[in-house]
Amino acid sequence: MALNPTDLFDVRSLLSEEERMIQDSVARFTDEKVLPIIGDCFDQGRFPKELVPEIASMGLLGSSLPEEYGCAGLNAVSYGLICQELERGDSGIRSFVSVQSSLCMYPIYAYGSEEQRRKYLPGMARGEIIGCFGLTEPHGGSDPANMKTVAKKDGGDWVINGAKMWITNGNLADIAIVWAQTEDGIQGFIVEKGTKGFEAHEVHKKMSLRASVTSALYFDSVRVPDSQRLPNVKGLKGPLGCLTQARYGITWGPIGAAIAAYTSALEYSKERTLFNRPVAATQSAQIKLAEMARRITLAQLLSLQLGRLKDAGTMQPAQVSLAKWNNCRMAIDICREARDLLGGAGITTEHPPIRHALNLESVITYEGTETVHQLVIGREVTGINAF
Ligand code: TGC
Ligand code: FAD
């Protein structure tokens, strides 16, 4: 029996029936709603906000959080499959879901008060309240411990001053999870849109993640009551704990981007006839396609095992770093190679490889650059901190 070219090791057989159903329904959404419009969205630099209600109604926002907050209560593998199928459409759509779920709903759930959970989570699950996450600052995102944004206690309030850079969803968001230095270490605050002194400015001229909103956030003596502070965490482990959640999903997402580019190159090279035979009949094209299939297979198995560890409660941040590094590198290499196999046709957004390759320039950079993740693994195996 012929093997499935996009699942050579039948990884799907390792999924539960519920996980397969979730994957299929998100795959259908991507095929029917995302793929027909996404090339134009990318050209126009437009995030397709009109898709948010359906994304929410499918239970894809905060999908791993409990049902009592209006969420779907799915396992980690299901969240991964959601990310994979969304990113087969576009990294910008997956980014929207990652930020909302792992970087905004997760900290409210994990570090927030019960009152904050009830106030925000159900509306966020319905897509009525959109969040963004402000950690990175203009002077250097890889070293968030060197944070310049400060929050000072003033009576029962906090006054926040500083700036955040490259913030996904910034201009779309109704609330921002903002990390600031305090006398007690780094703390998180929920800052609502419209709070005096808080502004978001969209970043333009992007050549990557064009179907996603990216912004700079400014805080000029922004006053929030203590009830907007996340009370249950202090220190860098707060934001880094959120990053572990988001990075986990990002290990899966690029598999989807790679599958989209590989499938496109496979089909194109079978149809394109040069020197009296299909490009796919040449040894060099077959080696390229085989290499893509090999690397996708390894990434699928890596993320699935990572998901099983997460569901078992034993996943370690260094394991997430290895998978984020491996899978982003795998996907960007495949998308560039697939672009090459399409020749000139590969340079337009009529075909997906170049859009995915450009998007992956962001994905390999955000949530910790490739170098940062390599150094995390270096630290793990040597026991020596090179940062
Ligand atoms: P370090 O001394 O290693 O750790 C400080 C404290 O944090 C704990 N910790 C973690 N906790 C949970 N998850 C992790 N991944 C953790 N890594 C560390 C650690 O145990 C310690 O806790 P405690 O209790 O001892 O205080 O901190 P460091 O300053 O040496 O930093 C290490 C480094 C470089 C790895 C870290 O700063 C880092 O990861 N830098 C990269 C920053 C980054 O990834 N930024 C991402 C911003 S958000 C984003 O990009 C969103 S894009 C979203 C989208 O659109 O999809
Ligand atoms: P820098 O930290 O200045 O790094 C510059 C270079 O130095 C990189 O090549 C890096 O690998 C290298 N480097 C760093 N440390 C070392 C070292 N020790 N040794 C050797 N080389 C090193 N952030 C948020 O907080 N929220 C968001 O929603 C968000 N969304 C984003 C969306 C997009 C489209 C992009 C592009 C970024 C987003 N980010 C977000 C920011 C992202 O997390 C940062 O860009 C990333 O962490 C890197 O920070 P930086 O851009 O300041 O680069």
Side-chain angles (χ1 to χ4, degrees):
M1 199 177 71
L3 300 175
N4 175 353
T6 60
D7 185 10
L8 286 180
F9 268 50
D10 199 11
V11 174
R12 194 170 153 88
S13 68
L14 302 174
L15 303 177
S16 69
E17 199 174 323
E18 186 186 43
E19 290 161 352
R20 282 199 288 265
M21 268 171 49
I22 290 160
Q23 179 173 24
D24 289 346
S25 72
V26 184
R28 241 184 341 267
F29 169 77
T30 293
D31 290 340
E32 291 171 9
K33 302 291 168 67
V34 178
L35 293 181
I37 63 168
I38 200 64
D40 286 343
C41 290
F42 188 93
D43 288 345
Q44 295 156 10
R46 182 179 82 79
F47 170 70
K49 198 179 170 196
E50 66 275 17
L51 298 180
V52 172
E54 189 165 346
I55 289 173
S57 72
M58 292 170 72
L60 307 189
L61 301 178
S63 60
S64 307
L65 299 185
E67 292 172 44
E68 64 174 303
Y69 300 108
C71 303
L74 301 178
N75 69 1
V77 168
S78 299
Y79 175 48
L81 291 163
I82 291 168
C83 290
Q84 179 180 314
E85 290 307 327
L86 291 177
E87 196 149 351
R88 192 169 55 75
D90 193 83
S91 306
I93 311 287
R94 197 271 308 138
S95 278
F96 172 82
V97 170
S98 291
V99 170
Q100 179 83 347
S101 303
S102 294
L103 296 183
C104 297
M105 296 175 76
Y106 172 79
I108 293 173
Y109 173 70
Y111 312 139
S113 64
E114 192 52 35
E115 196 186 356
Q116 290 168 343
R117 292 172 168 193
R118 304 240 166 245
K119 179 173 176 191
Y120 293 110
L121 294 179
M124 295 181 85
R126 290 194 298 271
E128 292 162 7
I129 302 172
I130 292 174
C132 68
F133 175 90
L135 178 64
T136 304
E137 300 191 347
H139 59 274
S142 298
D143 183 17
N146 182 26
M147 188 176 287
K148 311 274 191 245
T149 297
V150 291
K152 288 215 166 94
K153 194 90 199 277
D154 184 25
D157 293 343
W158 292 85
V159 179
I160 305 173
N161 277 289
K164 300 288 176 180
M165 189 58 195
W166 307 114
I167 306 305
T168 301
N169 294 351
N171 280 75
L172 276 181
D174 303 291
I175 60 167
I177 305 292
V178 181
W179 298 94
Q181 202 63 257
T182 73
E183 278 185 357
D184 274 346
I186 290 170
Q187 298 202 63
F189 298 85
I190 308 171
V191 179
E192 297 193 349
K193 183 179 181 172
T195 307
K196 190 161 173 280
F198 171 36
E199 284 184 18
H201 294 190
E202 194 162 347
V203 175
H204 295 292
K205 302 187 182 176
K206 285 186 302 175
M207 301 301 290
S208 173
L209 274 194
R210 289 182 51 76
S212 169
V213 173
T214 313
S215 310
L217 307 182
Y218 297 97
F219 303 87
D220 181 6
S221 297
V222 174
R223 183 174 284 275
V224 294
D226 190 51
S227 57
Q228 294 301 99
R229 183 177 57 91
L230 297 172
N232 298 326
V233 78
K234 283 192 181 124
L236 194 56
K237 66 175 183 289
L240 292 184
C242 304
L243 296 186
T244 295
Q245 307 302 314
R247 289 168 177 172
Y248 162 74
I250 293 172
T251 75
W252 288 81
I255 299 172
I259 286 175
Y262 158 69
T263 308
S264 159
L266 190 58
E267 285 166 5
Y268 191 88
S269 60
K270 283 203 267 189
E271 280 166 19
R272 188 77 168 170
T273 301
L274 298 169
F275 304 101
N276 297 320
R277 57 181 177 168
V279 171
T282 66
Q283 291 190 352
S284 68
Q286 287 199 10
I287 290 169
K288 286 177 183 171
L289 293 164
E291 179 73 357
M292 291 181 198
R294 176 182 71 81
R295 293 184 72 184
I296 288 170
T297 304
L298 296 179
Q300 285 168 327
L301 289 166
L302 196 58
S303 277
L304 181 61
Q305 170 63 359
L306 191 68
R308 296 291 180 227
L309 293 175
K310 191 169 194 306
D311 279 324
T314 59
M315 183 184 83
Q316 298 293 317
Q319 295 169 326
V320 183
S321 282
L322 190 143
K324 201 258 178 190
W325 160 26
N326 183 77
N327 291 8
C328 289
R329 172 52 59 191
M330 167 284 294
I332 200 167
D333 289 350
I334 285 177
C335 292
R336 288 171 177 166
E337 195 76 277
R339 204 295 308 153
D340 174 67
L341 274 171
L342 267 67
I347 72 154
T348 79
T349 56
E350 289 293 315
H351 299 278
I354 197 159
R355 174 170 53 78
H356 284 297
L358 290 168
N359 283 338
L360 287 160
E361 295 288 346
S362 289
V363 180
I364 204 168
T365 295
Y366 67 34
E367 297 278 0
T369 64
E370 184 170 61
T371 306
V372 161
H373 291 295
Q374 289 167 332
L375 294 178
V376 168
I377 300 304
R379 181 167 69 178
E380 188 67 28
V381 298
T382 63
I384 303 167
N385 187 354
F387 287 109

